């Protein structure tokens, strides 16, 4: 039975997931699966119920406590594993093996289990046993080097590319693919999800452009890295910013129209030698009005020009509000389940539990 009093909703309803407590992309992957209806049980050390910062990450879960150094508690966790479809862990390579919860043991107890392993460097390779964080994983892939303005140092894109884009999303992708394959084979398998691999996959288009000579290693000189004046941000008269991304010629024409700039005599849109002139012209124009005034100018157009909102402002954005893109759970504003499903929509996630559930009561029937 589900560990929740509310029947699960979503395309993954009926899928049982054991999450071995960790930080960052592991919990995020478990959250995404829970958002889609999976029954997720998080196993963590006694006395480690969510703190203030971690609490929102643990929505939609059941929490059980276990001492993973105690053979008796390990056996209880293996009892859950026997009933699970998926196990997620984010330790360094070899840690779960030493605990007695490694993939060989788990798959022997449950041959249909999908065993998802989330690490930064992967299960093998010269750096597999080293510590790291998002910024380190993307630095070795070339991704971090590519982000920033020309002549300036690289800028970390928060922890979106390594931890979550290259990490949790690829772990979820692997889990879902393995669940589909299991329908044919009847067998589980182990997923080696590495953030360094995922970051490389996310940068596929850039690698492709580089391979055919359309991307340079010089930061801030390319199509999508602020090297082009039509793909950048501009300060407005009130110290705020507008984002411009009018790549296609017809959208660029709309953009110039909104700025009231006559295209006659301007450098060609894609001419690398004309970008400084265009950028100076655009910057001067944007400085003549406030951000909200420019927003009004470009509303309803295809100029691909939008305001740069703070997260607080995003809560009130009419498009996000119309789609209920953000919801409040337990007093914290956070994303609604995504993507949307026509026939099996997910429910609003339940708040993080405030106390643990005895392992014996989980999936008892």
């Amino acid at each position: 039975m589900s560990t929740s009093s509310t029947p699960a909703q979503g395309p993954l309803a009926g899928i049982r997931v054991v999450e071995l407590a960790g930080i960052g992309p592991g919990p995020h992957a478990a959250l995404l699966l829970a958002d889609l209806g999976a029954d997720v049980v998080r196993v963590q050390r006694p006395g480690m119920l969510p703190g203030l910062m971690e609490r929102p990450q643990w929505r939609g879960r059941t929490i059980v406590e276990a001492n993973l150094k105690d053979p008796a508690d390990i056996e209880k966790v293996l009892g859950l594993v026997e009933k699970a479809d998926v196990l997620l862990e984010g330790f360094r390579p070899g840690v779960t093996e030493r605990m007695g919860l490694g993939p060989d043991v788990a798959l022997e107890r449950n041959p249909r289990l999908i065993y998802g392993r989330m690490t930064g460097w992967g299960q093998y390779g010269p750096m597999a046993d080293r510590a790291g964080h998002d910024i380190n994983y993307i630095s070795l892939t070339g991704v971090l080097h590519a982000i920033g303005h020309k002549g300036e140092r690289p800028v970390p894109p928060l922890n979106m590319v390594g931890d979550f884009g290259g990490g949790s999303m690829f772990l979820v992708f692997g889990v879902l693919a393995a669940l589909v394959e299991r329908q044919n084979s009847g067998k589980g398998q182990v997923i080696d999800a590495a953030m360094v691999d995922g970051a490389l996959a996310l940068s596929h288009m850039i690698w492709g452009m580089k391979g055919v000579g359309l991307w340079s290693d010089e930061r801030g000189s390319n199509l999508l890295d602020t090297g082009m004046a039509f793909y950048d941000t501009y300060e407005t008269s009130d110290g705020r910013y507008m984002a411009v991304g009018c790549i296609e010629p017809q959208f660029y024409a709309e953009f110039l129209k909104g700025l009231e700039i006559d295209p006659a005599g301007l450098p060609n849109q894609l001419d690398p030698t004309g970008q400084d002139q265009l950028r100076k012209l655009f910057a001067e124009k944007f400085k003549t009005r406030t951000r909200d005034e420019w927003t009004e100018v470009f509303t309803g157009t295809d100029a691909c020009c939008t305001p740069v909102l703070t997260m607080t402002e995003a809560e009130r954005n009419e498009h996000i509000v119309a789609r209920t893109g953000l919801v409040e759970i337990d007093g914290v504003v956070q994303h609604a389940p995504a993507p949307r499903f026509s026939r099996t929509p997910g429910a609003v996630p339940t708040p993080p539990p405030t106390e643990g559930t005895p392992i014996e009561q989980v999936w008892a029937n």
Side-chain angles (χ1 to χ4, degrees):
M1 67 178 180
S2 170
T3 52
S4 170
S5 59
T6 303
Q9 291 180 234
L12 294 183
I15 296 295
R16 292 174 168 179
V17 179
V18 172
E19 171 200 0
L20 301 185
I23 60 173
H28 186 242
L31 178 153
L32 295 175
L33 294 173
D35 279 356
L36 299 189
D39 188 350
V40 179
V41 176
R42 179 178 169 97
V43 180
Q44 57 190 48
R45 289 179 293 172
M48 290 292 290
L49 283 174
L52 183 63
M53 186 177 77
E54 299 93 346
R55 184 169 171 76
Q57 291 187 31
W58 299 358
R59 73 192 201 189
R61 313 278 225 294
T62 295
I63 291 180
V64 299
E65 297 183 339
N67 178 0
L68 298 184
K69 296 181 179 180
D70 182 343
D73 278 8
I74 290 291
E75 186 59 34
K76 290 180 181 180
V77 175
L78 285 172
L80 292 180
V81 169
E82 290 179 351
K83 301 174 182 179
D85 296 284
V86 179
L87 181 146
L88 303 179
E89 64 97 351
F91 299 105
R92 295 196 204 191
V95 171
T96 57
E97 284 87 345
R98 292 192 292 273
M99 289 177 179
L101 288 172
D104 290 346
V105 172
L107 284 163
E108 183 178 357
R109 299 286 285 262
N110 180 357
R112 291 175 53 83
L113 182 72
I114 308 302
Y115 195 106
R117 315 194 81 169
M118 180 80 264
T119 60
W121 305 113
Q123 294 298 312
Y124 61 89
M127 301 183 70
D129 64 348
R130 287 183 55 183
H133 281 295
D134 178 291
I135 193 171
N136 309 118
Y137 311 133
I138 67 173
S139 76
L140 289 196
T141 63
V143 171
L144 181 58
H145 180 274
I147 301 174
H149 286 95
K150 188 174 183 178
E152 299 181 10
R153 63 182 181 173
V155 178
L158 304 182
N159 63 336
M160 304 296 185
V161 177
D163 279 351
F164 302 124
S168 55
M169 296 302 292
F170 275 84
L171 177 57
V172 169
F173 178 48
V175 165
L176 298 180
L179 286 171
V180 170
E181 191 279 336
R182 192 181 69 176
Q183 292 179 334
N184 295 323
S185 68
K187 298 177 181 179
Q189 59 182 307
V190 181
I191 300 166
D192 175 3
M195 292 173 234
V196 67
D197 295 343
L200 287 171
L202 288 175
S203 57
H204 166 78
M205 187 178 79
I206 307 303
W207 280 97
M209 294 173 71
K210 180 177 182 295
V212 297
L214 296 178
W215 193 275
S216 166
D217 274 337
E218 183 181 3
R219 184 167 46 256
S221 65
N222 300 287
L223 178 65
L224 302 173
D225 63 356
T226 73
M228 295 291 165
F230 55 80
Y231 204 90
D232 208 342
T233 58
Y234 291 92
E235 188 174 3
T236 55
S237 65
D238 55 349
R240 297 178 180 181
Y241 293 86
M242 294 293 288
V244 177
C246 48
I247 299 173
E248 293 80 359
Q250 66 272 28
F251 301 155
Y252 183 65
E254 286 275 307
F255 172 67
L256 294 180
K257 180 180 177 182
L259 290 183
E260 299 179 344
I261 293 177
D262 185 350
L266 291 182
N268 181 276
Q269 178 188 357
L270 295 171
D271 181 0
T273 65
Q275 297 307 308
D276 288 345
Q277 178 184 343
L278 291 173
R279 185 173 283 104
K280 182 175 184 294
L281 178 61
F282 299 162
E284 289 173 349
K285 276 288 186 177
F286 274 114
K287 276 285 194 176
T288 63
R289 299 186 187 182
T290 67
R291 185 197 66 181
D292 291 348
E293 287 172 337
W294 283 119
T295 299
E296 184 64 27
V297 167
F298 289 107
T299 294
T301 75
D302 279 341
C304 303
C305 185
T306 51
V308 177
L309 302 181
T310 66
M311 292 175 72
T312 300
E313 290 172 324
E315 295 179 37
R316 303 188 296 271
N317 176 261
E318 63 178 1
H319 187 79
I320 293 174
V321 169
R323 289 183 58 81
T324 319
L326 293 168
V327 294
E328 185 174 317
I329 301 172
D330 202 27
V332 177
V333 174
Q334 50 197 284
H335 78 275
R340 316 296 173 91
F341 293 84
S342 64
R343 189 171 51 80
T344 58
V348 175
T350 58
T354 56
E355 59 183 12
T357 298
I359 291 183
E360 295 81 2
Q361 294 182 16
V362 177
W363 303 332
N365 297 330

